[in-house]
């Protein structure tokens, strides 16, 4: 059995705790490797190594740091196929999806090449007599990134890239379900010229995470994962005086107005609801057609499209629509929620509860499911299912539809499909959700904008990537400087003159 490692000071280091997590091949259900679970002592040692390496890295000029990012872009492109294969093998998503995962991470590394521009600071000449004032952005020091399983390349890169570009050292705690790609990325960063020790990968579970949260050396914590853990991490990190940004779960609604192009809406829902087996924080899991006639038309168009979806392992070619979910536990949880939907009175229009794939009977495959007549009180509506399940909630009016999305506790993404500009504008303006699509089902902002939800989808102030990431990973220091000739000319420092 292959034993994975940690990445400490630029080298693979075996775990010493004696504790391991199973890493599965979701397509076959077999355990393919063992991931070491770091002890508190191993985690503390990684933090101390990162702190030692950060001093020189933080003092390295931003352009040199940007060159590492530039080299990293080339190396990731060189190794794209190898990285995608490793990603699909542990996660289960199709190869095109794995490449998308890597590509969206890569785009943030490209954005980080602009670090010298982003870190320029501000300067006021002659703020008073002989007085100049300037603000600079300095790295926080050592930061931690605790990441989820569903985007094992993109999510770490969204945080590691900007944190490093700003001059921090990073301790990454990837998901224990698919840790291989983060380790491969760590190798590539060293090949790209990143000094050893500036980026450490500690594999583990709660013990490693709590050590990061309680460490006095860690200055900032970025977390992405489920809402209960996001809330826990935000509370503990901030109680310990750290800066924290914690991104949680989602229940994304797509509103379909009667004037929408129904074919486009159905295509969008199938891609956004079932792509990557629904294991995306921006997946659309609730469709809200306005009016019964719209609902009937939409369902009529959805059913044949969903029945055509090809569920298979990533090795089965490029026409696979989606693969297995990540673990047997996840499969059991999803099927349990589907059963609860039936018991609570929703209409299961596409039922694949007995789905099985010949030759892969032990794999974690879940077929696509479509529910109609879902209501607000049902568990399938309240809970993030994170599987290939789309719920249709029928609304009588636009007001009822927007109200549903506004009242839901999650606020990550949402979309409206309509041809009416007034309705679209009103929706974008009023909705209390962080990312909004107009005839775009998965409105994931590009690297130079920022990504983040509202309500229980995000705890903290600053978003992921874009300008916010450079703010999150730096501290502002403002210097007021007065020089002797200025004192001669202007006399004593006059605060009033600066009002
Ligand atoms: P998860 O919350 O189970 O795990 C995330 C990380 O937290 C992992 O590294 C895990 O080891 C760690 N962790 C788990 N339990 C912990 C505990 N009790 N104490 C300390 N650390 C703990 O999430 P997941 O299943 O890996 O990822 C799926 C979730 O992530 C979904 O809810 C999805 O919506 C969310 N997600 C959100 C975004 C976003 O930007 N909002 C992006 C991607 C995924």
């Amino acid at each position: 059995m292959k034993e994975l490692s940690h990445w400490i000071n630029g080298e693979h280091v075996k775990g010493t705790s004696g504790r391991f997590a199973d890493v599965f091949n979701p397509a076959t259900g077999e355990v393919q490797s063992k991931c070491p679970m770091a002890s508190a002592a191993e985690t503390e040692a990684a933090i101390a190594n990162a702190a030692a390496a950060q001093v020189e890295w933080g003092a390295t000029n931003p352009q040199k740091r940007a060159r590492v990012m530039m080299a990293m872009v080339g190396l990731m492109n060189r190794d794209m196929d190898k990285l995608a294969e490793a990603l699909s093998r542990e996660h289960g998503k199709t190869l095109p999806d794995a490449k998308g995962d890597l590509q969206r991470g890569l785009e943030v590394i490209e954005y980080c090449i602009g670090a010298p521009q982003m870190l320029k600071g501000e300067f006021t000449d002659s703020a008073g007599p002989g007085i100049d004032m300037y603000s600079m952005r300095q790295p926080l020091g050592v930061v931690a990134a605790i990441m989820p399983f569903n985007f094992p390349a993109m999510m770490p890169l969204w945080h590691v890239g900007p944190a490093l570009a700003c001059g921090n050292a990073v301790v990454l705690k990837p998901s224990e379900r698919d840790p291989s790609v983060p380790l491969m990325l760590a190798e590539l960063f060293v090949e790209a010229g990143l000094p050893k020790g500036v980026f450490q990968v500690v594999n583990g579970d709660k013990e490693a995470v709590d050590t990061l949260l309680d460490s006095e050396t860690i200055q900032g914590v970025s977390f992405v994962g489920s809402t209960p853990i996001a809330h826990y991490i935000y509370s503990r990190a901030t109680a310990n005086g750290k800066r924290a940004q914690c991104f949680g779960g989602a229940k994304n609604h797509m509103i379909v107005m009667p004037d929408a192009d129904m074919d486009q809406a159905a295509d969008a829902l199938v891609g956004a609801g079932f792509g990557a087996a629904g294991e995306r924080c921006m997946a659309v899991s609730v469709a809200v057609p306005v009016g019964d006639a719209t609902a009937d038309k939409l369902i009529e168009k959805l059913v044949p499209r969903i029945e055509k979806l090809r569920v298979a392992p990533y090795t089965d070619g490029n026409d696979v629509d989606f693969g297995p979910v990540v673990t047997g536990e996840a499969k059991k949880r999803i099927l349990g929620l589907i059963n609860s939907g039936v018991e609570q009175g929703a209409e299961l229009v596409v039922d694949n509860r007995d789905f099985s794939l010949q030759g892969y009977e032990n794999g974690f495959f879940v077929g696509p499911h479509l529910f109609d007549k879902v209501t607000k009180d049902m568990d399938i509506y309240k809970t993030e299912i994170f599987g290939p399940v789309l719920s249709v909630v029928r609304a009588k009016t636009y007001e009822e539809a927007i109200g549903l999305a506004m009242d839901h506790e999650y606020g990550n993404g949402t979309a409206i499909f309509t041809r009416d500009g007034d309705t679209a504008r009103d929706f974008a303006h009023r909705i209390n959700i962080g990312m909004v699509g107009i005839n775009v089902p998965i409105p994931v902002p590009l690297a130079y904008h920022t990504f983040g939800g509202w309500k229980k989808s995000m705890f903290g102030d600053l978003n992921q990537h874009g300008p916010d990431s450079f703010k999150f990973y730096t501290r502002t220091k403002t210097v007021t400087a007065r020089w002797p000739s200025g004192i001669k000319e202007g006399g004593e420092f006059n605060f009033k003159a600066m009002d």
Side-chain angles (χ1 to χ4, degrees):
M1 174 75 53
K2 187 176 172 195
E3 187 181 315
L4 299 173
S5 57
H6 307 295
W7 180 259
I8 309 291
N9 278 345
E11 278 166 27
H12 288 286
V13 171
K14 286 205 156 189
T16 56
S17 72
R19 292 194 306 117
F20 293 90
D22 289 338
V23 180
F24 294 93
N25 176 342
T28 61
E30 286 160 359
V31 177
Q32 55 176 320
S33 58
K34 296 215 161 276
C35 177
M37 299 287 98
S39 63
E42 286 173 291
T43 311
E44 272 158 12
I47 298 169
N49 284 328
Q54 192 274 329
V55 179
E56 206 179 322
W57 179 244
T60 301
N61 77 57
Q63 196 151 14
K64 281 196 179 152
R65 297 200 299 253
R67 282 190 197 122
V68 172
M69 299 296 149
M70 218 181 305
M72 184 65 180
V73 170
L75 295 174
M76 278 187 69
N77 278 319
R78 181 195 71 188
D79 288 358
M80 186 58 83
D81 289 340
K82 197 165 89 180
L83 289 162
E85 212 277 331
L87 199 158
S88 291
R89 203 180 332 122
E90 286 184 351
H91 179 285
K93 64 175 75 172
T94 64
L95 282 173
D97 271 351
K99 285 188 181 165
D101 188 331
L102 286 152
Q103 177 61 28
R104 274 303 177 95
L106 183 67
E107 286 166 13
V108 170
I109 303 298
E110 286 171 344
Y111 177 73
C112 291
I113 296 171
Q117 168 71 12
M118 297 302 295
L119 296 171
K120 265 187 340 201
E122 295 164 344
F123 187 89
T124 302
D125 174 48
S126 299
I131 295 167
D132 300 324
M133 197 175 280
Y134 57 96
S135 299
M136 47 189 165
R137 295 201 157 273
Q138 295 191 319
L140 300 181
V142 185
V143 298
I146 302 151
M147 295 291 120
F149 82 85
N150 67 323
F151 282 98
M154 182 184 89
M155 293 313 331
L157 289 167
W158 280 11
H159 294 274
V160 173
L164 292 175
C166 289
N168 300 283
V170 183
V171 180
L172 168 69
K173 208 301 281 172
S175 170
E176 61 276 34
R177 313 223 183 287
D178 42 18
S180 289
V181 169
L183 289 166
M184 291 165 81
L185 293 172
E187 284 177 21
L188 289 185
F189 266 118
V190 169
E191 195 182 339
L194 187 72
K196 294 181 176 182
V198 175
F199 177 29
Q200 316 264 354
V201 182
V202 171
N203 281 306
D205 53 12
K206 188 168 166 57
E207 184 170 341
V209 171
D210 286 350
T211 308
L212 292 167
L213 299 178
D214 294 343
S215 160
E216 286 188 6
T217 306
I218 299 287
Q219 297 294 306
V221 174
S222 299
F223 171 87
V224 186
S226 58
T227 286
I229 310 296
H231 187 246
Y232 162 72
I233 292 200
Y234 185 75
S235 309
R236 189 152 170 170
T238 51
N240 284 332
K242 300 183 198 320
R243 182 177 292 198
Q245 50 170 195
C246 298
F247 301 88
K251 195 81 180 173
N252 304 318
H253 293 53
M254 181 173 130
I255 290 163
V256 183
M257 296 300 291
D259 66 347
D261 180 315
M262 243 11 102
D263 285 303
Q264 269 179 20
D267 286 340
L269 274 169
V270 170
F274 300 103
E279 290 175 322
R280 295 198 279 222
C281 71
M282 289 294 274
V284 172
S285 47
V286 181
V288 190
V290 172
D292 273 333
T294 313
D296 292 342
K297 240 187 278 169
L298 186 67
I299 301 247
E300 194 187 305
K301 295 206 180 271
L302 280 171
V303 172
R305 285 168 165 83
I306 295 171
E307 282 171 346
K308 256 197 267 162
L309 288 172
R310 184 153 176 255
V311 185
Y314 74 93
T315 43
D316 260 25
N318 275 343
D319 65 336
V320 177
D321 288 298
F322 66 87
V325 298
V326 69
T327 56
E329 211 181 302
K331 176 175 172 171
K332 201 168 142 205
R333 192 181 150 275
I334 295 163
L335 290 175
L337 276 159
I338 295 168
N339 284 329
S340 84
V342 175
E343 280 154 25
Q344 289 170 18
E347 206 174 286
L348 190 51
V349 183
V350 178
D351 181 357
N352 274 307
R353 282 176 291 174
D354 58 358
F355 182 87
S356 170
L357 208 58
Q358 211 185 351
Y360 294 94
E361 289 79 3
N362 295 324
F364 310 137
F365 291 95
V366 181
H369 290 78
L370 176 69
F371 275 111
D372 189 11
K373 302 191 179 144
V374 173
T375 55
K376 271 171 87 165
D377 50 322
M378 294 178 183
D379 289 335
I380 50 168
Y381 180 72
K382 291 188 283 193
T383 317
E384 180 184 39
I385 301 176
F386 226 53
V389 183
L390 179 64
S391 296
V392 173
V393 181
R394 293 172 176 237
K396 286 194 177 59
T397 60
Y398 165 68
E399 282 304 321
E400 189 187 336
I402 191 174
L404 274 167
M406 304 246 300
D407 288 348
H408 206 285
E409 63 172 348
Y410 293 117
N412 213 41
T414 188
I416 186 163
F417 272 61
T418 180
R419 287 189 172 95
D420 184 68
D422 268 349
T423 310
R425 188 172 184 279
D426 179 78
F427 183 75
H429 199 74
R430 274 167 62 196
I431 196 79
N432 54 0
I433 289 173
M435 292 169 283
V436 182
I438 296 172
N439 299 316
V440 172
I442 305 192
V444 176
L446 291 175
Y448 41 93
H449 286 265
T450 72
F451 181 111
W454 288 16
K455 299 187 275 182
K456 289 204 172 142
S457 296
M458 203 276 196
F459 303 90
D461 310 303
L462 291 165
N463 276 349
Q464 307 178 86
H465 65 63
D468 272 15
S469 61
F470 277 80
K471 289 190 188 130
F472 183 80
Y473 290 117
T474 53
R475 231 174 227 131
T476 306
K477 184 185 280 173
T478 305
V479 179
T480 306
R482 180 173 62 165
W483 296 98
S485 61
I487 298 172
K488 270 185 240 134
E489 283 164 23
E492 271 313 292
F493 185 78
N494 181 358
F495 282 100
K496 273 210 143 34
M498 297 176 66
D499 284 347

